[in-house]
Amino acid sequence: MSEHPYDAIVLGAGAAGMMAAAVAGRNGNRVLIADHADEPGKKILISGGGRCNFTNVHTAPDRFLSANPHFARSALARYTPADFLALVDGYGIAWHEKTLGQLFCDGSARQIVTMLRNECAGGGVDWSLGRPVDEIDHADGRFSVRFGRETAVAPRLVIATGGPSIPQMGATGFAYDVARRFGLKVVEPRPALVPLTLGGDEALFKTLSGVSSEVIARAGKGSFREAALFTHRGLSGPAILQASSYWRHGEAVTIDFTPDRPDGWLVEQKRLHPRMGVQSVLGQGLSGRLAEALADRIGLNGNLADLTDKALAEAEARLAAWPFHPNGTEGFMKAEVTIGGVATDALSQQTFEAKAVPGLHFIGECVDVTGWLGGYNFQWAWASAVACGKAL
C-alpha cells in the first residue's frame, strides 16, 4: 500500500472544493482534491438550466439562513461577487444579468468547471476522481485518507462534499458523518429551495397544474415576490422555492394573489363595475383558470352590486393572504440545496477550521449556511472556499 504526502487534502470536487484547492495550491501548498464522482462539478453543470447562476450581485448576510445569522458575514465580506466576476472576466467567459441580480453564463456551465480546473492546474493540484473514501484516520497531527490501496496524508483536511440534496447526482451526507465522528454537532439537515406538496382539501388546486402567477409568498420570516407555479403535487416556482427555506411542517404558507391591488380595491370595483362578478374581476389580473378556482373557493356568486362591502372586504383580505397548509416537500430529490448542516459554533469564521480539531475544515453547502435562490449559494461556496484556502 502506497502513501502520498500532501499539505492539504480536499474532499469534494464541487464548487467549494475546487475553489479551495485552487487557492491553496496557488499559495504554494501541495494539494490533493478527491471525489467519488468520476468528473468534477456535476452540480455546477446542471445549475441554472445548464448556464450556471454563478453569483448574485445583491449578496448580503441577511440573504442566508443559519442558526448563527452572523457567521457568514466575515467570509462574504472578504470575497464578494465582484471578486468572482473578475475571475470569470479574466477567463473571457461571457455572462449576463437576469432578474434580481442573478448572473449567468451566456454559454455553458461547463465554462465555470473548466475555469476552476484551470485554476487548480495553475496551483499544481493533484486529482483523485471516481474513487470513494474508504477510511479517514487522524493521529499525531496528520489526517490519513485511504482510497483502495493508496493513502494520502496531510496535516490539513477540507470537507467540501456538500449536503444530500439531489442524491441522483451522487450527493450524500458524508460531511455530517465526518463531523459527528470528530465530535462536531450537526444542525438537522432538511430540503431547501424545494417544491411543497398539498393534500386533502387543498388537492383541488392540483387541477391548476401548469398555471403560474406573480405573487408574494410568505413563510416564517421570509417574504418573496416572484412567480408561483401550481403543479400536480402542489406548489412550486421561485416564490415557493424561496419560501420553502423558511417553512416548517405544521405551518402555513400564505400567498398574496393580488400584490398590486390597493386596500379597498374590490369595493372600488363594485362602484366602477357593479354588473361584473368576482371571477371576472379576478380575471383582469390572473389567468382564467386561477381566477375561476379562487372565486369558486371564496363562494361569492352574482354581480358585485349584489354583494355587501363587508363580504368583498373579507374576500379581498383572503386573496391577499391565502393560507395553504403543505403536508410536506418533494424532498432532497428535488431540493436545490440543503438547509442545516455542520454547526457553525464549532467552526472559525475566519478559516472554517474546527475549533476542537486543528487542521479539519468544513466549507460550502455542508456548513449550516443556506442562501436564497438565485446564485447566493454559489457565492457562499466561493467565499467560504477562499477564506479556507488562504488559511491552509
Side-chain angles (χ1 to χ4, degrees):
M1 184 174 293
S2 56
E3 187 174 281
H4 305 277
Y6 290 93
D7 297 313
I9 300 166
V10 179
L11 299 183
M18 284 192 283
M19 190 65 146
V23 170
R26 285 175 173 269
N27 278 351
N29 294 289
R30 186 160 186 235
V31 181
L32 172 71
I33 186 168
D35 201 302
H36 66 101
D38 54 5
E39 65 173 314
K42 284 194 169 184
K43 274 193 179 180
I44 298 175
L45 294 175
I46 66 166
S47 67
R51 291 193 170 181
C52 187
N53 178 191
F54 56 78
T55 192
N56 194 297
V57 299
H58 300 312
T59 295
D62 64 359
R63 304 194 168 199
F64 294 82
L65 291 82
S66 173
N68 176 1
H70 303 294
F71 180 82
R73 191 177 300 274
S74 174
L76 292 172
R78 285 181 285 149
Y79 193 82
T80 67
D83 293 322
F84 189 76
L85 201 52
L87 181 63
V88 169
D89 286 342
Y91 276 84
I93 298 172
W95 55 273
H96 59 279
E97 180 176 343
K98 291 182 77 171
T99 57
L100 304 173
Q102 304 169 60
L103 303 189
F104 289 78
C105 297
D106 284 358
S108 164
R110 191 166 292 280
Q111 294 172 284
I112 299 295
V113 175
T114 300
M115 177 188 79
L116 293 169
R117 293 200 72 156
N118 286 336
E119 284 291 293
C120 286
V125 173
D126 286 348
W127 292 82
S128 172
L129 297 175
R131 295 191 301 173
V133 171
D134 293 319
E135 191 175 0
I136 297 175
D137 284 322
H138 182 228
D140 302 323
R142 295 198 320 166
F143 294 90
S144 300
V145 182
R146 184 165 62 83
F147 313 89
R149 297 190 59 78
E150 295 191 9
T151 299
V153 295
R156 303 218 172 243
L157 176 63
V158 180
I159 308 299
T161 53
S165 61
I166 321 184
Q168 59 270 40
M169 299 296 295
T172 70
F174 177 88
Y176 312 145
D177 296 336
V178 174
R180 292 187 184 103
R181 182 188 155 188
F182 284 98
L184 279 67
K185 292 181 180 177
V186 175
V187 176
E188 176 206 357
R190 53 193 175 88
L193 302 182
V194 63
L196 301 174
T197 57
L198 299 175
D201 189 41
E202 292 176 329
L204 158 74
F205 286 95
K206 296 177 185 178
T207 62
L208 296 174
S209 181
V211 172
S212 178
S213 185
E214 183 172 332
V215 304
I216 297 175
R218 298 183 176 91
K221 295 180 180 178
S223 177
F224 300 93
R225 178 168 178 161
E226 289 189 71
L229 172 70
F230 289 94
T231 72
H232 67 286
R233 297 192 66 185
L235 297 167
S236 187
I240 300 301
L241 298 183
Q242 295 278 37
S244 73
S245 295
Y246 292 83
W247 176 76
R248 299 302 294 251
H249 278 276
E251 296 177 356
V253 173
T254 60
I255 293 184
D256 182 352
F257 286 107
T258 54
D260 293 319
R261 299 283 196 173
D263 288 344
W265 70 273
L266 257 182
V267 175
E268 177 67 7
Q269 287 294 311
K270 172 181 172 179
R271 187 180 67 79
L272 295 173
H273 308 288
R275 295 185 180 277
M276 289 184 72
V278 172
Q279 180 179 331
S280 298
V281 172
L282 288 178
Q284 293 177 338
L286 302 172
S287 76
R289 286 169 64 194
L290 180 55
E292 181 181 2
L294 294 175
D296 182 59
R297 273 302 181 94
I298 291 170
L300 296 181
N301 301 311
N303 297 330
L304 293 176
D306 302 327
L307 303 172
T308 66
D309 288 0
K310 180 184 178 183
L312 291 174
E314 289 173 352
E316 181 185 311
R318 188 172 183 195
L319 290 165
W322 196 287
F324 287 92
H325 295 85
N327 60 8
T329 74
E330 291 198 24
F332 285 117
M333 289 287 285
K334 294 294 180 71
E336 296 203 13
V337 292
T338 304
I339 200 166
V342 179
T344 57
D345 60 4
L347 305 176
S348 161
Q349 283 183 300
Q350 300 297 316
T351 66
F352 293 81
E353 185 175 19
K355 296 172 184 176
V357 190
L360 179 63
H361 302 249
F362 292 85
I363 58 174
E365 187 187 345
C366 71
V367 177
D368 176 32
V369 175
T370 306
W372 288 3
L373 184 72
Y376 294 99
N377 288 292
F378 272 123
Q379 187 57 36
W380 172 244
W382 316 136
S384 60
V386 170
C388 174
K390 286 182 174 180
L392 296 178

